[in-house]
Amino acid sequence: MSLSHQSTKLQEVRAEILSLLKVLYDKVDLERKFGAKFLQLTPTEKIHTSSEKDVTSPQLIQKSLFDAHKEKEKVELSKSDKIERLKELEEQVNQCTKCGLCKNRTNVVFGTGAPDADLMFVGEAPGYYEDVQGEPFVGRAGQLLTKIIESIGLKRSDVYIANILKCRPPENRNPTANEIILCKPHLIEQIDIIRPKVICALGTFAAQTLLDTKETIGKLRGKFHDFQDTKLLATYHPAYLLRNPNDKKKVWEDIKKGA
Ligand code: URA
């Protein structure tokens, strides 16, 4: 084989490897968006490339993943399944060191409440008291959230409460884009286990993160949106209400829609 022939062959092999890596990358990326913890090696349909080798197309892989997700949706989870899966997930999240917030945390604040809640609240991130106690919404904003929950005839133990970030940002600063990207899969998996009928996003970060938008909370609040086939209601964050008590009325009105 001539040198130039060998080099052409090498380039072809290189191109093939790069295209396979791209397929793998797309697959892992998509699975992460669904909160998958492992690689699911079940692609079935094949296409032919120019070099007549069998390669799974990215479109087919994505289609099969969507189908798998729908299948997963159909499988009912009993309350004990949910308890078990949340426990496993919590153990995993407790070990998480994906971002720098793990260095200063006292506790991971995983989430709390009914594993089969119909209504799930999602806040921003733990503050000082949440970090110390390992439970979401236990400070002043938390006490107001408890009142909001009670205003619709429920108890904290009837709903599920979690945050976008599971660890406290220093000095309660805003979550960074990177922290959100790294922590979001934990929340997606929590939602996938609990399968609430309504998610109530509290404040800008929760609403923008779950709805993947930059729209202001003022525009998003009070309406039902769609989050992966689950109704999502956005409203103001209780900490905002502590600073702007005149807007409490708007939150009572919003929250009644989710009850
Ligand atoms: N604010 C939040 O967003 N979450 C908490 O857990 C506490 C305060």
Side-chain angles (χ1 to χ4, degrees):
M1 197 187 288
S2 72
L3 257 177
S4 75
H5 192 189
Q6 269 185 1
S7 140
T8 316
K9 268 276 162 228
L10 265 174
Q11 276 172 8
E12 277 175 13
V13 170
R14 190 167 171 272
E16 198 74 46
I17 291 171
L18 285 176
S19 101
L20 282 171
L21 282 174
K22 167 88 175 59
V23 169
L24 187 63
Y25 175 87
D26 286 346
K27 175 174 159 59
V28 171
D29 191 41
L30 192 81
E31 288 189 337
R32 273 181 48 210
K33 284 187 186 129
F34 284 132
K37 292 182 286 191
F38 54 86
L39 258 181
Q40 187 183 330
L41 298 170
T42 53
T44 47
E45 297 177 66
K46 308 281 182 182
I47 58 164
H48 288 281
T49 62
S50 52
S51 58
E52 289 303 309
K53 284 191 185 126
D54 274 347
V55 173
T56 309
S57 79
Q59 289 79 9
L60 288 178
I61 289 177
Q62 296 200 354
K63 185 178 168 297
S64 82
L65 278 169
F66 275 113
D67 291 346
H69 183 63
K70 289 265 174 250
E71 276 304 308
K72 204 167 132 195
E73 265 184 347
K74 278 185 226 146
V75 179
E76 281 286 317
L77 289 180
S78 67
K79 187 169 177 182
S80 57
D81 290 337
K82 291 183 182 202
I83 292 170
E84 185 61 26
R85 281 188 53 191
L86 281 173
K87 193 164 152 266
E88 279 168 25
L89 180 62
E90 183 168 6
E91 279 163 12
Q92 187 192 317
V93 178
N94 281 341
Q95 306 300 319
C96 181
T97 54
K98 284 192 200 153
C99 79
L101 296 182
C102 63
K103 292 195 197 112
N104 297 316
R105 72 184 172 215
T106 315
N107 285 295
V108 169
V109 180
F110 177 70
T112 187
D116 55 352
D118 286 341
L119 178 58
M120 174 168 181
F121 288 89
V122 178
E124 180 180 317
Y128 172 81
Y129 293 102
E130 290 78 21
D131 173 69
V132 168
Q133 295 183 36
E135 190 170 324
F137 283 98
V138 288
R140 277 185 71 219
Q143 286 159 21
L144 183 52
L145 177 61
T146 305
K147 284 191 186 157
I148 294 171
I149 294 167
E150 288 169 356
S151 79
I152 50 169
L154 296 172
K155 299 189 291 293
R156 265 177 82 105
S157 56
D158 294 324
V159 302
Y160 196 90
I161 307 173
N163 282 307
I164 298 284
L165 295 191
K166 307 300 186 213
C167 298
R168 182 190 180 210
E171 311 304 325
N172 298 346
R173 65 154 167 77
N174 289 341
T176 65
N178 196 41
E179 287 159 2
I180 291 175
I181 289 171
L182 293 170
C183 210
K184 191 175 165 187
H186 300 320
L187 176 67
I188 304 290
E189 197 161 347
Q190 265 173 316
I191 294 172
D192 188 47
I193 296 169
I194 297 161
R195 298 181 195 181
K197 293 201 173 99
V198 177
I199 296 169
C200 182
L202 297 167
T204 306
F205 276 92
Q208 291 187 343
T209 301
L210 291 172
L211 295 173
D212 203 12
T213 176
K214 289 267 169 266
E215 196 58 271
T216 63
I217 187 68
K219 290 253 168 64
L220 295 169
R221 63 157 278 270
K223 285 180 279 215
F224 281 109
H225 306 264
D226 175 69
F227 175 77
Q228 295 181 2
D229 293 336
T230 301
K231 282 199 242 173
L232 185 147
L233 179 72
T235 195
Y236 291 122
H237 192 287
Y240 164 87
L241 291 183
L242 291 173
R243 297 188 302 272
N244 301 274
N246 288 343
D247 278 339
K248 279 183 185 171
K249 199 166 162 280
K250 291 183 187 163
V251 173
W252 304 144
E253 279 158 13
D254 296 347
I255 214 78
K256 274 187 276 175
K257 299 180 185 166

